[in-house]
Amino acid sequence: RALVVWVGISLAGSTPGLLRPMPPDRPQVVFFEVGQGDASLVQGRDAVLVIDTGSGPSDGSGGGQLVRGLRAMGVDSIDVLAVTHADLDHRAGSSRVLAALPVEELWLPRSAIEDAPLVALSDEALKRGTQVLWLATDARRTQRGDLEIDVLWPPPSVSSKVASRNESSLVLRVLV
């Protein structure tokens, strides 16, 4: 019976009441299995950065695995959600993440400021009270908790009309 209950609870995406997620030693970087796509967690002692949200439908409703994984890791809010570019394998779970967890800031590549899917994501985030920043390499080093974050790409002069989404992706360096 206990196994059946455990399987049912696991499929529902939560942990049994007696087992609380244990916060791991920090800082840490976790790469989530999200199918064809990317989703990463950079967790400092007092800051959480999520980079990309994996694949799914174009309405952004993917990300169920990511949300369950973040909760299992003890994440209950996100300081920064960075979406590197608008391809579905990087942004398709973003709406689900924004709906499931409080997100302080959404970071997007300035080179994609006219890319319709990221503009729609930006509008959704703003409606939820999330601050939206369109970043390029002219951004200063940013401190979020104990994480120092630099924007390495794209330069301000790169346009999504000139370069592919991959070539104009947001690239970050995180120092702890």
Side-chain angles (χ1 to χ4, degrees):
R1 287 186 200 186
L3 179 61
V4 172
V5 171
W6 179 266
V7 169
I9 291 171
S10 297
L11 291 175
S14 63
T15 55
L18 298 176
L19 298 176
R20 301 275 182 236
M22 298 276 303
D25 292 333
R26 292 192 179 96
Q28 68 177 348
V29 177
V30 178
F31 299 98
F32 291 93
E33 171 57 51
V34 291
Q36 179 183 346
D38 291 313
S40 307
L41 166 69
V42 180
Q43 195 171 29
R45 285 175 289 287
D46 52 46
V48 173
L49 165 65
V50 174
I51 303 170
D52 288 336
T53 59
S55 58
S58 61
D59 66 359
S61 63
Q65 285 179 296
L66 176 60
V67 169
R68 285 190 297 278
L70 290 169
R71 287 185 174 150
M73 300 285 304
V75 173
D76 57 6
S77 66
I78 298 170
D79 296 291
V80 176
L81 170 60
V83 177
T84 59
H85 64 276
D87 287 352
L88 282 174
D89 58 335
H90 292 262
R91 71 159 169 91
S94 299
S95 292
R96 168 94 32 105
V97 170
L98 285 167
L101 297 163
V103 177
E104 188 175 325
E105 294 178 347
L106 172 64
W107 291 4
L108 302 167
R110 190 180 314 151
S111 58
I113 201 159
E114 296 178 11
D115 199 333
L118 291 187
V119 170
L121 180 60
S122 170
D123 292 344
E124 179 182 349
L126 289 169
K127 287 178 187 171
R128 294 184 179 281
T130 300
Q131 183 180 2
V132 176
L133 301 172
W134 296 86
L135 300 174
T137 55
D138 59 350
R140 293 180 308 190
R141 176 172 282 177
T142 303
Q143 187 86 30
R144 293 295 177 272
D146 56 335
L147 303 177
E148 293 181 24
I149 308 164
D150 294 316
V151 177
L152 301 179
W153 195 264
S157 60
V158 171
S159 166
S160 61
K161 293 181 180 179
V162 175
S164 74
R165 284 177 171 165
N166 284 320
E167 292 171 345
S168 60
S169 293
L170 184 63
V171 178
L172 304 172
R173 174 176 52 198
V174 182
L175 306 167
V176 181

